[in-house]
Amino acid sequence: LLLALLLSSIAAFAAQSDRLQGQVLRLHILANSDSEEDQQLKLQVRDAVLEAINQDFSGDGTLEGTIACLEGEMDRIEETANEVLAEAGMPYQAKAELTKMYFATREYERNGSTFSMPAGRYQALRITLGSGEGHNWWCVAYPPMCIDAAVEGQAAVVEQEILELGQTPVYKPKLALVEWVESLREAWEQ
């Protein structure tokens, strides 16, 4: 009976995680290398891109609207990143793309609280700098948890779901199992 309760609890959590994966867009920036200079440039690109997105972000407050807005701004996002690289005298370029990719469970901090995003395949705006062989930086772009001017409406609902998911008392053990299952699914699909 205890095993059945545990498995049903894990299944419910996995279902909630799967639903969440379909409602989130992540921003993922890969540095050219792990050199100190490339890591600093990654953060400068992050700041410039977030500022550009924040200033002209005209989505309708939904994930679909956000993706449509970003699709129309991909060239400008890439140009913004390349301007930062050119100012630093780097010989490499940035490549921006919207993709669906696997993320391991990650800790995230917002307003002094820490929570985890469960492992799984998420839609992402990925910006690769040069060879993209360095450490990455990521955040949740929708709902706009890495952009100061968060839109209200559906984004606020999804953000609340993410925060509540992180407050589940038996969260850590469940995440480990979900991450293990997701990594097996990811390996199987490749």
Side-chain angles (χ1 to χ4, degrees):
L1 181 62
L2 185 59
L3 180 61
L5 286 172
L6 177 65
L7 290 176
S8 74
S9 177
I10 290 171
F13 181 81
Q16 186 179 7
S17 294
D18 283 346
R19 189 172 59 80
L20 183 66
Q21 291 168 20
Q23 297 178 334
V24 171
L25 175 73
R26 294 172 93 158
L27 173 59
H28 187 235
I29 303 175
L30 293 159
N32 180 60
S33 74
D34 283 333
S35 75
E36 188 173 324
E37 183 178 31
D38 282 341
Q39 289 297 310
Q40 287 299 315
L41 277 171
K42 170 187 71 180
L43 299 178
Q44 291 172 13
V45 166
R46 172 202 65 192
D47 294 345
V49 167
L50 287 176
E51 184 177 331
I53 290 173
N54 193 26
Q55 287 177 355
D56 297 324
F57 200 64
S58 58
D60 62 3
T62 66
L63 176 61
E64 295 77 19
T66 299
I67 291 172
C69 179
L70 288 174
E71 285 173 340
E73 297 293 330
M74 293 302 287
D75 289 341
R76 191 166 69 91
I77 291 168
E78 216 168 81
E79 286 171 14
T80 299
N82 284 328
E83 286 172 8
V84 172
L85 297 175
E87 286 175 13
M90 290 295 125
Y92 55 83
Q93 296 283 300
K95 177 178 176 14
E97 62 185 322
L98 286 168
T99 186
K100 190 160 188 168
M101 58 186 287
Y102 177 79
F103 287 88
T105 299
R106 302 278 178 118
E107 294 291 317
Y108 186 80
E109 193 169 320
R110 175 149 170 105
N111 298 332
S113 298
T114 302
F115 61 94
S116 296
M117 288 289 293
R121 292 183 64 78
Y122 290 86
Q123 294 181 80
L125 166 58
R126 179 172 47 199
I127 302 172
T128 305
L129 306 179
S131 64
E133 295 176 2
H135 281 93
N136 65 76
W137 179 89
W138 71 275
C139 72
V140 178
Y142 180 90
M145 297 174 82
C146 57
I147 301 170
D148 290 335
V151 293
E152 294 184 20
Q154 183 61 28
V157 172
V158 175
E159 180 178 344
Q160 187 60 38
E161 287 179 16
I162 292 170
L163 294 172
E164 287 172 4
L165 189 62
Q167 294 172 358
T168 306
V170 287
Y171 189 63
K172 293 287 184 184
K174 287 182 182 180
L175 275 184
L177 183 60
V178 169
E179 186 168 340
W180 178 72
V181 169
E182 287 291 336
S183 66
L184 289 177
R185 184 186 314 174
E186 181 69 15
W188 179 261
E189 290 176 1
Q190 291 181 2

